[in-house]
Amino acid sequence: MPLPVLPQPALHLLSIEALLDGFATLRFTPVDLLQALLARMDRLDPLLNAVCERQDQNAMRAAQASTARWAAGTPQGRLDGIALLIKDNTDIAGWYTRNGSRALADAAPATRDASLVEKLRRAGAIFIGKTTLPELGSTPLTDSPLTGITRNPWNLELHAGGSSGGSTAGVAAGFAPAATGNDAAGSIRTPASFCGVVGFKPSHGLISGYPSIDPGGMAAEGPIARHVRDIALLLELMSEHEPREPFAWPHATPGFLPNIEDGVRGLRIAFSLDLGYAAHVDPHIARACQAAATLLEQAGATLVQASPDIGNPAPRYLDAWPVEVARAMASELPIEHQHLAGDFLLECQARARCTDALTYACAVEERNSVAKGLHDFLSDYDLLLTPTTMVAPFAIEHSMPPDWPAEVSMMWQPTTFPFNFSRQPALSIPCGLTPDGLPIGLQIIARFGRDDLVLRAARELEKRTSLSVFDTPAGLPAATQ
């Protein structure tokens, strides 16, 4: 179907703040926005495969109600009428949560909202799609037995990354101004880098995952968007205290927007290409990230080339991961349907059965040792910068970069997962393009609890970088731009 004529500027390119201003001044309505976004989804998702469930009629009813509230001057909350995508391992009442698994293909719809969905709903958000993920979010590429491969908007022959690949590809393609994701080893940051959007894994416990509980402490919920101020707004709303969450911060809701324009002057920032152990970074990525770090130095920060002393944490991570995937299978998949799980999950289950308790306990202890090293390192710096990924997006025919030295480590995203060990806030922001025109992400990390510094640095970089180049991914058909 042809795309409708949109009000100018094109609504799918606007930030949440700009959309809310348009609603308030009646220049356009939540119905206008929803129609534009659904039309893009109709046209582009058959190419991308980023969305696995839609409820267009319910969304339209919500948009019509929001439009009436804005017309009456009585908006409901800080997101009234804003359309969002939700990753399909997060419950929305009345929607399916299939988690990328054939074992959940016939499961009943969820009967209640997850905590973060409750908060976004109270703020007036409209949910327009569930996004694809690998089965149980267990791999860094979005390719599941149930929904297949999610493709990269910058080049449809390449991976979008994972596990929040549907969310990042959807935001990059203009299906919504923002989406939710979760991250246990880089699952927000890796696909954000691959798809040219901003993705934030906040300090763990800031956003509740309730009713899900992550006993290993590796996972965090977080927002994905095109604009840093939108990330901060969503984080404020999503981080409202959840009393039912056993691992939540006992905090009042933080305010991230009031100080987001404070810049980085006077901050002490470390820059590391490889975290001291992962010395296989693509040279184009290295140059782009170094240039982005220099921009923050020009903004008044002190920049130091330095790496933490954490050794190579990948082997122990790989010892523990099969056990934790098998644990997720046991809790998420009905036992009578576990035989329907994909090969990767079944292989993890088999490996877990062969892993003794001491091996797993040593892996967890190694995780804690790495966390201590990263906390110690960041006691000397306000921020740490690294490349988000060491490689550019690669072809969907491959399950890992074809030239990656697997004998060094099977972890081809070595700069992300250590900060799941340490639970520190880490954000990926676009900072350039490869010679092939593919996005490059810079990772910004802070001490635990200093999410505000991450957002300040990201906002400063956003203002000093021409990020408008990321508005129109080059892989999408020209007529849809």
Side-chain angles (χ1 to χ4, degrees), residues 25-61:
T25 57
L26 306 183
R27 287 184 290 121
F28 46 81
T29 70
V31 168
D32 294 329
L33 173 64
L34 182 63
Q35 288 175 336
L37 299 182
L38 294 181
R40 287 188 69 79
M41 214 180 296
D42 288 341
R43 173 68 66 87
L44 297 176
D45 200 50
L47 303 175
L48 293 176
N49 188 34
V51 177
C52 57
E53 185 182 358
R54 291 167 55 171
Q55 293 193 9
D56 293 7
Q57 291 183 346
N58 288 340
M60 183 55 69
R61 283 192 288 270

Side-chain angles (χ1 to χ4, degrees), residues 167-200:
S167 289
T168 57
V171 170
F175 295 173
T180 67
N182 31 57
D183 186 318
S187 286
I188 288 174
R189 291 159 289 156
T190 297
S193 179
F194 273 20
C195 293
V197 296
V198 185
F200 192 20

Side-chain angles (χ1 to χ4, degrees), residues 63-90:
Q64 290 166 344
S66 176
T67 295
R69 289 192 293 271
W70 282 107
T74 57
Q76 170 197 305
R78 297 172 67 190
L79 292 179
D80 199 354
I82 297 297
L84 298 179
L85 299 167
I86 304 293
K87 187 175 178 181
D88 191 32
N89 57 4
T90 300

Side-chain angles (χ1 to χ4, degrees), residues 113-450:
D113 290 337
S115 175
L116 69 89
V117 170
E118 286 181 357
K119 295 166 188 173
L120 295 170
R121 193 189 296 278
R122 282 199 301 269
I126 297 172
F127 308 120
I128 64 168
K130 285 292 215 64
T131 59
T132 53
L133 71 162
E135 191 169 22
L136 303 191
S138 58
T139 72
L141 299 173
T142 300
D143 180 5
S144 90
L146 182 67
T147 57
I149 293 173
T150 297
R151 296 172 182 262
N152 194 314
W154 291 82
N155 183 328
L156 298 175
E157 300 305 312
L158 305 181
H159 281 293
S163 65
S164 304
S167 289
T168 57
V171 170
F175 295 173
T180 67
N182 31 57
D183 186 318
S187 286
I188 288 174
R189 291 159 289 156
T190 297
S193 179
F194 273 20
C195 293
V197 296
V198 185
F200 192 20
K201 178 192 75 70
S203 295
H204 293 207
L206 183 60
I207 299 175
S208 173
Y210 184 86
S212 175
I213 294 177
D214 173 35
M218 289 281 287
E221 306 289 333
I224 295 159
R226 293 170 175 267
H227 304 274
V228 175
R229 288 183 61 91
D230 289 351
I231 293 284
L233 171 59
L234 291 166
L235 195 61
E236 287 185 1
L237 298 169
M238 295 165 70
S239 60
E240 178 184 340
H241 179 60
E242 172 53 75
R244 298 169 294 181
E245 166 65 72
F247 302 115
W249 288 11
H251 61 2
T253 302
F256 296 107
L257 278 170
N259 300 318
I260 198 170
E261 304 293 345
D262 287 356
V264 296
R265 183 168 299 279
L267 297 186
R268 183 172 165 82
I269 300 178
F271 178 74
S272 174
L273 273 179
D274 57 10
L275 289 183
Y277 83 96
H280 294 279
V281 60
D282 180 294
H284 302 296
I285 292 174
R287 284 193 290 271
C289 290
Q290 179 68 68
T294 301
L295 288 177
L296 294 180
E297 183 178 35
Q298 293 169 358
T302 298
L303 186 66
V304 180
Q305 305 284 330
S307 297
D309 182 13
I310 57 172
N312 181 353
R316 285 299 198 183
Y317 176 86
L318 295 171
D319 282 343
W321 189 241
V323 176
E324 294 177 351
V325 171
R327 191 275 311 167
M329 286 183 65
S331 62
E332 299 288 341
L333 305 185
I335 191 168
E336 66 272 17
H337 293 152
Q338 286 185 11
H339 67 283
L340 298 174
D343 290 344
F344 178 79
L345 260 61
L346 294 175
E347 289 167 9
C348 284
Q349 190 180 59
R351 288 175 59 191
R353 288 173 175 149
C354 297
T355 302
D356 61 72
L358 182 60
T359 297
Y360 179 72
C362 289
V364 172
E365 180 59 29
E366 175 80 10
R367 178 185 301 175
N368 295 336
S369 176
V370 171
K372 182 180 183 303
L374 290 171
H375 280 273
D376 289 347
F377 179 78
L378 275 160
S379 68
D380 293 328
Y381 300 95
D382 297 294
L383 295 168
L384 169 62
L385 310 178
T386 77
T388 306
T389 66
M390 312 295 268
V391 298
F394 52 91
I396 58 175
E397 290 79 15
H398 299 290
S399 60
M400 64 187 303
D403 55 352
W404 183 257
E407 69 278 4
V408 175
S409 172
M410 295 295 288
M411 295 293 293
W412 55 265
Q413 66 283 40
T415 56
T416 55
F417 74 90
F419 302 103
N420 295 84
F421 290 2
S422 66
R423 309 184 188 185
Q424 293 163 322
L427 174 147
S428 181
I429 185 169
C431 69
L433 296 173
T434 70
D436 293 330
L438 300 173
I440 295 170
L442 176 76
Q443 183 176 217
I444 306 173
I445 305 107
R447 302 169 194 144
F448 185 83
R450 292 310 309 266

Side-chain angles (χ1 to χ4, degrees), residues 200 255-256 259-260 449-457:
F200 192 20
F256 296 107
N259 300 318
I260 198 170
R450 292 310 309 266
D451 302 62
D452 60 314
L453 293 182
V454 173
L455 292 167
R456 281 170 49 185

